[in-house]
Amino acid sequence: MYSNNKRGSSISLRIYNSLSPKVWGVLAIIVTIWFLTIVLVVEDNPTIKEEVLTDIQREESIIKGKIKRGRLRAKEWLKHHLVDEDSDSLLLEEKKQHEWDLTQLEDLALRTGPGDTLIHVVFSTDCSPYQQWQSYQFFVSALRIRQPGRVTQIASGCTEEEKQSLIEWHSKHIQSLSLRFELHLTPHFSSVKDANGKATDTEYEFFNKPFGLLHWMENELGIDPETQMPWKHDTIIALLDPDQLLIRPITGYFESPNDIFRGGSSNGGENVDSNLSLFENKPTFVIRHGHPASQEYGYRDAWLKYAPVAGFDSPATKVTTTEALRSYALGPPYIATARDMYSIAVKWAAFVPEVHALFPELLAEMYAFSIATAHLKLPHQLMASLMVSDTSTSGAGDDGGGEGWQLIDDIPGDDVCSFAMNSLDTELHPLPNVLHFCHRYGVGDNDFFAKKKLPTDFFTCKSPLLAEPSLDIGSGNYKYKKPPFLDKKVEYSAVVEKREAFMICSSIGFLNEAALFYKKKHCDEDTANTKKELSLHDLPE
């Protein structure tokens, strides 16, 4: 075929070269006369002219029809995304009920993060009312800070009744806030299985995290059957917990001077805070394939004894104590590319039942995550500034065990509660990305917060708001707490008092604002209870 084409081209070229310029001039005159003759005939013959114009109009009509159908499809999309159905015009200036509300254009702009990076924040729950209120606060906190990308609740083990109720709740109260807020339902995963693989009566609810993540990635995110990798493998996946309050957006880029890296000290001992990333020795770090990041947690190298569940020759069994501290003492937020997160999820789900069989405790799933990442040779850049939670100063380096407390410690004690209650503005004071309210916090005789004591109907019209704490807690005047229903005091330092005050004031302040946000959208003014009278300290356990 190639030689025939070449031969034909050669013949054509010879004919072209054989014709003189005069011949080419004559041919041009003939073509021009022929064209003018056709024009004159058409103009002098109305019938022919009408047929020609009809053909042209028909073609124009076909083209216009295609354009119109394209516009109709665009219009239909815009109706659901960018257009006010009543006015049929773009929503450039929407009226907001609340400062946290998004216009549809703002919501659209948040589909991606910096540099058009695809971001997906996910968190795992069961289907209980206890985790429903936590899920609501999570979504609302993401709304408040304009977290870019999609945010998905992965809810596992719902009954049919719970499933229907959760779908209706999500549609009415969550998806109305943003089209990027999603719900993914999975089967029941939390049953502990015996040696034969049969479910027992024992439950370990944290199986939901690895198995729920894996189910979501395989059934919602999408996996290429040939490569066994996610289709959009560069997407940044951040896995969090429902009791984490977002304060600063998570993007996969650590470029702020307020990002605190954790690295090794010069003598090879405990991790220390640093303004430089561990592996690259730079003041920045970007999530990419082979380079995940997570918050440092205080369980150190405790997972190493269970590493053989990955196989006695697994790379996880070769990790040294120093390497375990540097790269694998980690917890949520976990952040990785979709490709890396899927590889982790597969191994995490494979290892966690065996780890739990050997260590049937709360942290079994976290140990299994560390083993999975070590097995895959995916050392994490540990961060301090992703989270605060544990207020103690007994951790590594007396800085809260690798958490971002130095940011909070820099806030003046007299201002810490007022700032946490009413602002959480990162322009005023640098803050971590996440507040993890998983402990019990107390200052003085009555100021107290514990998530398990919050009534599950808190986000309703009838529920009162939380009683506000004393604004002077954290100032150093209350270096103790009095646990509920115990006739004793627990003394601590002024540093711990400030940290406890920050957790109490920020949790109560945000939850009250989120409750008012809910009531404004779903309650009548005369029926909405806005009294700040709910004291968690006084509620029964």
Side-chain angles (χ1 to χ4, degrees):
M1 181 65 72
Y2 174 78
S3 60
N4 287 341
N5 287 340
K6 185 176 181 181
R7 185 163 54 250
S9 299
S10 177
I11 293 171
S12 299
L13 186 61
R14 285 199 300 272
I15 293 172
Y16 176 84
N17 290 332
S18 68
L19 296 177
S20 67
K22 290 183 178 180
V23 173
W24 281 114
V26 171
L27 288 174
I29 293 170
I30 292 172
V31 170
T32 302
I33 293 171
W34 173 77
F35 178 76
L36 291 173
T37 302
I38 291 175
V39 171
L40 291 172
V41 169
V42 170
E43 287 293 330
D44 292 339
N45 192 322
T47 303
I48 297 176
K49 182 176 180 180
E50 183 178 354
E51 290 178 355
V52 171
L53 292 176
T54 300
D55 288 341
I56 293 173
Q57 289 169 352
R58 185 182 299 113
E59 289 299 319
E60 287 180 346
S61 177
I62 291 171
I63 293 170
K64 286 179 180 178
K66 291 180 178 179
I67 293 172
K68 184 177 181 181
R69 286 193 296 274
R71 284 176 176 168
L72 286 173
R73 285 194 294 269
K75 184 178 178 181
E76 185 65 23
W77 185 89
L78 288 170
K79 180 188 289 186
H80 297 291
H81 295 78
L82 296 175
V83 173
D84 185 333
E85 295 184 21
D86 295 328
S87 65
D88 204 31
S89 61
L90 288 178
L91 295 174
L92 297 176
E93 295 293 338
E94 290 182 81
K95 291 183 179 180
K96 299 183 181 182
Q97 285 185 304
H98 191 281
E99 64 177 330
W100 294 351
D101 285 334
L102 288 168
T103 67
Q104 291 176 332
L105 284 177
E106 287 173 335
D107 199 23
L108 188 65
L110 286 168
R111 289 180 304 171
T112 57
D116 285 333
T117 303
L118 295 175
I119 301 171
H120 211 133
V121 176
V122 296
F123 62 98
S124 172
T125 72
D126 59 23
C127 306
S128 66
Y130 170 63
Q131 293 208 312
Q132 182 167 302
W133 77 254
Q134 293 178 49
S135 301
Y136 183 77
Q137 76 79 27
F138 190 100
F139 280 116
V140 173
S141 72
L143 178 72
R144 186 187 78 87
I145 65 165
R146 302 310 197 236
Q147 169 64 44
R150 295 156 69 186
V151 182
T152 296
Q153 175 187 359
I154 303 173
S156 300
C158 299
T159 64
E160 285 302 316
E161 183 178 353
E162 289 172 333
K163 184 184 298 184
Q164 189 59 39
S165 175
L166 192 52
I167 290 172
E168 291 175 0
W169 166 270
H170 185 86
S171 176
K172 182 177 180 180
H173 300 97
I174 305 300
Q175 205 160 36
S176 59
L177 304 179
S178 170
L179 294 171
R180 300 171 296 109
F181 291 173
E182 301 172 359
L183 172 68
H184 179 75
L185 299 169
T186 83
H188 181 84
F189 292 126
S190 58
S191 294
V192 176
K193 297 180 180 179
D194 61 21
N196 297 318
K198 291 185 177 181
T200 67
D201 294 333
T202 304
E203 296 274 312
Y204 178 62
E205 61 184 308
F206 299 106
F207 281 151
N208 287 336
K209 288 175 68 175
F211 287 102
L213 175 67
L214 184 61
H215 188 278
W216 170 75
M217 296 194 80
E218 292 182 339
N219 293 277
E220 189 68 32
L221 193 66
I223 304 299
D224 183 341
E226 292 187 7
T227 64
Q228 286 300 298
M229 286 290 112
W231 289 106
K232 297 179 179 179
H233 56 85
D234 289 325
T235 300
I236 301 299
I237 307 294
L239 175 62
L240 285 80
D241 288 337
D243 59 351
Q244 292 185 320
L245 191 168
L246 289 163
I247 302 177
R248 191 157 56 98
I250 292 173
T251 64
Y253 289 80
F254 298 95
E255 300 175 318
S256 165
N258 303 315
D259 289 325
I260 305 170
F261 302 102
R262 293 289 284 178
S265 60
S266 58
N267 62 6
E270 303 289 349
N271 289 350
V272 295
D273 288 347
S274 174
N275 61 352
L276 301 176
S277 58
L278 177 62
F279 300 107
E280 299 167 359
N281 201 37
K282 295 180 180 179
T284 61
F285 184 81
V286 178
I287 301 294
R288 58 204 186 278
H289 295 320
H291 298 273
S294 291
Q295 169 64 41
E296 181 178 1
Y297 275 63
Y299 60 82
R300 298 167 58 82
D301 63 346
W303 60 273
L304 278 176
K305 67 174 70 174
Y306 308 107
V309 303
F312 288 103
D313 293 328
S314 166
T317 64
K318 310 295 193 298
V319 172
T320 66
T321 295
T322 298
E323 290 170 337
L325 294 178
R326 295 288 182 271
S327 305
Y328 301 109
L330 44 83
Y334 301 114
I335 312 172
T337 63
R339 189 185 78 177
D340 288 346
M341 191 65 85
Y342 182 64
S343 298
I344 292 169
V346 170
K347 294 302 180 183
W348 191 16
F351 298 158
V352 69
E354 296 183 62
V355 175
H356 184 265
L358 298 170
F359 180 69
E361 303 293 340
L362 175 68
L363 297 183
E365 55 90 7
M366 296 183 72
Y367 289 1
F369 189 97
S370 294
I371 294 169
T373 56
H375 176 77
L376 294 166
K377 296 183 178 180
L378 284 173
H380 282 56
Q381 170 60 61
L382 298 186
M383 305 295 300
S385 53
L386 274 172
M387 186 196 76
V388 289
S389 178
D390 180 3
T391 64
S392 69
T393 56
S394 59
D398 286 341
D399 59 2
E403 298 181 10
W405 285 113
Q406 69 168 261
L407 300 173
I408 310 305
D409 294 345
D410 289 341
I411 302 172
D414 291 337
D415 301 335
V416 67
C417 185
S418 178
F419 168 75
M421 275 278 295
N422 303 309
S423 177
L424 289 178
D425 185 351
T426 56
E427 295 295 323
L428 294 177
H429 295 290
L431 293 172
N433 296 84
V434 165
L435 185 155
H436 193 180
F437 50 87
C438 59
H439 297 278
R440 295 162 69 93
Y441 307 99
V443 176
D445 293 330
N446 295 298
D447 292 319
F448 175 84
F449 182 81
K451 65 176 182 178
K452 291 187 176 181
K453 296 190 72 174
L454 188 73
T456 56
D457 66 349
F458 182 69
F459 291 117
T460 60
C461 299
K462 66 179 182 180
S463 174
L465 303 178
L466 290 163
E468 293 185 342
S470 304
L471 292 181
D472 65 337
I473 61 172
S475 61
N477 295 325
Y478 309 88
K479 291 184 283 188
Y480 71 94
K481 62 181 174 182
K482 188 176 182 300
F485 310 112
L486 293 177
D487 189 21
K488 67 175 184 179
K489 291 182 179 181
V490 178
E491 295 184 352
Y492 44 49
S493 67
V495 172
V496 172
E497 181 197 332
K498 183 190 290 188
R499 296 176 180 183
E500 295 267 323
F502 178 81
M503 296 300 290
I504 293 168
C505 299
S506 54
S507 298
I508 290 177
F510 174 74
L511 289 172
N512 276 349
E513 283 299 313
L516 287 171
F517 180 74
Y518 174 92
K519 293 174 193 291
K520 188 173 184 64
K521 288 187 169 295
H522 303 289
C523 310
D524 296 330
E525 286 187 16
D526 47 342
T527 60
N529 189 346
T530 59
K531 296 178 180 177
K532 297 179 179 179
E533 60 184 16
L534 180 61
S535 172
L536 298 186
H537 189 279
D538 298 334
L539 290 181
E541 295 290 337

